[in-house]
Amino acid sequence: MHGDELDIDEALVGRLVAEQFPRWAGLPVTRVRSAGTDNAMYRLGDDMVVRLPRLPGGARQVDTEHRWLPRLAPYLPLAVPTPLAKGEPGAGYALPWGVYGWLDGENAYDAPLTELRDAAEQLGRIVAALRKVDAAGGPPSWRGGPVRNNAVHVRAAIRDLGAAGTLDAPAATEAWEAALRLPQWDDAPVWLHGDLLPGNLLTCSGRLTAVIDFGGLGVGDPAADTIAAWAVFDAGTREAFRAAADVDDATWARGRGWALCFGLMAEHYYGDTCGNGTNPVLASVGRRTVDEVVRDAVSGGQGAWGVVRDAVSGGQGAWGVETVHAARLLTEPAGFGYLLKERVVDIGEFVAALERVASGRGALCSEGQGSAETAAHWGCRGSWVRALGGARCVVPPVC
């Protein structure tokens, strides 16, 4: 999958184990099929697994798991790997590696979850539990910073996948630009797993039983741990996950940006259309995640939409009747879908404005620059319609 991958096979694992842990010498070594990109796994006997970084920079993951997992595991409501021994470079292999207890089950890609709501609640509780553990001294998570750090790669993915006809590039661009405008995490860093994807969830009989691969464990903004809302769950179970994870609107919205970022980059790098074609499993997870994010945006699943729904349901306050009228139209899926399709709505501007209102940094007001055409079409005065970059866009002006 990568040009600098290390050569790893059963024979190498057997030599490493025999040299450094002779008590386990002679146990059968069997490769574990996995779509993981950072580590190779080999079952050792019946109740252990050896995990070895594939890439030269992977030493940190082994150190992180062996140092921090034993401290975090008692606080987590699902089974997680138990580090048993940490190996050193040797036998022609230049990195540290680890031995862990074996956890029964199949990954959620090969054996999909059927009890989705139960899984959403359990995984959400994992996210919430991690956030509550003292994060002092924890290493930075590789997904714990601003998602904008990946902007170059995301825009390249949108460009290439759009040109190939496999992506609605305008819709993806709007969702990405909306993510870039969101307020950033400004609280103390907290723990996050960082990679809650189907391949890192174990299932038995359709139920979620364990979370694995804590190589990306670290501290920072917890938003990336909500990627699972779009990578694992669907519209019917997403809110159950969010409720259990107990995250605010801004974190949820940033998490949607991370989900879009992951999905686009995974398909772009590992897929057949534009990438190296080496990991069709991860590429398909990426494609599904992007679809869920865009569909969520079109159907009104933006974190800030809760503010609109509150206004529509009677909490008008400073919004004013005219704004609420427009909000009611936009929160109807058919209406919003039409506006998006016709590019009358700029999602980024709309969500950014609502986030400012939600955080108390602005109030919605009327511009008085309505489009007679749009007003006639929607049966209202259309005061939200204004010119933006030469296009007609429906946005709530903020004052």
Side-chain angles (χ1 to χ4, degrees):
M1 290 178 284
H2 310 278
D4 56 350
E5 258 185 54
L6 305 175
D7 292 326
I8 305 171
D9 58 19
E10 286 91 342
L12 170 65
V13 175
R15 291 196 303 272
L16 285 167
V17 171
E19 289 178 5
Q20 300 184 34
F21 305 109
R23 64 188 180 277
W24 296 325
L27 290 177
V29 175
T30 309
R31 185 175 73 90
V32 178
R33 287 181 59 254
S34 169
T37 62
D38 291 341
N39 294 273
M41 294 189 296
Y42 291 82
R43 192 164 184 176
L44 180 63
D46 293 328
D47 54 6
M48 292 179 287
V49 63
V50 180
R51 184 168 150 88
L52 309 95
R54 296 178 184 269
L55 302 172
R60 176 184 175 276
Q61 295 192 26
V62 176
D63 293 339
T64 296
E65 288 186 330
H66 282 255
R67 178 179 179 185
W68 294 104
L69 258 182
R71 306 187 192 189
L72 292 170
Y75 300 98
L76 303 182
L78 273 175
V80 298
T82 301
L84 301 177
K86 181 181 173 184
E88 300 298 329
Y93 180 76
L95 297 177
W97 49 283
V99 182
Y100 304 78
W102 176 260
L103 290 169
D104 286 326
E106 299 289 334
N107 73 74
Y109 182 88
D110 292 333
L113 292 158
T114 56
E115 302 294 330
L116 268 181
R117 181 165 294 275
D118 177 71
E121 293 170 352
Q122 290 201 71
L123 195 61
R125 286 194 286 270
I126 282 272
V127 172
L130 279 169
R131 206 168 59 243
K132 295 173 184 175
V133 180
D134 182 7
S141 169
W142 64 294
R143 282 193 177 129
V147 72
R148 69 166 66 96
N149 294 344
N150 299 282
V152 171
H153 301 295
V154 169
R155 289 188 173 115
I158 292 174
R159 179 197 65 219
D160 296 343
L161 294 170
T166 63
L167 175 72
D168 182 346
T173 298
E174 288 178 1
W176 175 245
E177 295 300 326
L180 296 182
R181 294 187 180 98
L182 292 170
Q184 295 304 301
W185 178 258
D186 58 4
D187 288 339
V190 298
W191 283 107
L192 65 153
H193 177 283
D195 205 24
L196 294 176
L197 301 174
N200 295 330
L201 308 178
L202 295 187
T203 73
C204 288
S205 301
R207 297 181 67 86
L208 177 65
T209 58
V211 175
I212 62 173
D213 190 353
F214 281 74
L217 178 71
V219 302
D221 177 0
D225 265 0
T226 67
I227 287 176
W230 298 272
V232 179
F233 303 114
D234 57 21
T237 52
R238 199 168 287 133
E239 284 301 321
F241 170 78
R242 180 180 179 178
D246 190 25
V247 296
D248 58 31
D249 282 353
T251 300
W252 186 252
R254 289 195 306 277
R256 186 173 46 251
W258 267 111
L260 182 64
C261 171
F262 153 73
L264 288 168
M265 290 176 62
E267 185 180 9
H268 187 238
Y269 186 88
Y270 294 108
D272 289 326
T273 303
C274 299
N276 57 26
T278 58
N279 197 326
V281 170
L282 197 59
S284 68
V285 173
R287 174 73 268 166
R288 189 257 189 196
T289 304
V290 172
D291 289 345
E292 287 291 325
V293 169
V294 173
R295 188 179 301 116
D296 193 28
V298 172
S299 65
Q302 306 281 1
W305 288 87
V307 180
V308 180
R309 285 191 290 270
D310 287 346
V312 172
S313 64
Q316 294 177 8
W319 291 61
V321 175
E322 185 176 354
T323 303
V324 172
H325 186 187
R328 182 177 291 111
L329 291 173
L330 289 176
T331 50
E332 293 174 357
F336 185 77
Y338 173 84
L339 292 171
L340 176 64
K341 180 180 178 182
E342 297 300 319
R343 295 289 172 265
V344 178
V345 166
D346 182 293
I347 297 178
E349 290 283 341
F350 185 64
V351 173
L354 292 182
E355 291 290 354
R356 292 195 293 276
V357 173
S359 63
R361 291 181 287 124
L364 295 181
C365 60
S366 171
E367 269 193 337
Q369 296 179 2
S371 158
E373 176 188 351
T374 303
H377 183 86
W378 291 106
C380 65
R381 285 198 292 160
S383 64
W384 276 13
V385 180
R386 65 183 174 89
L388 182 73
R392 289 182 305 128
C393 301
V394 178
V395 297
V398 175
C399 55

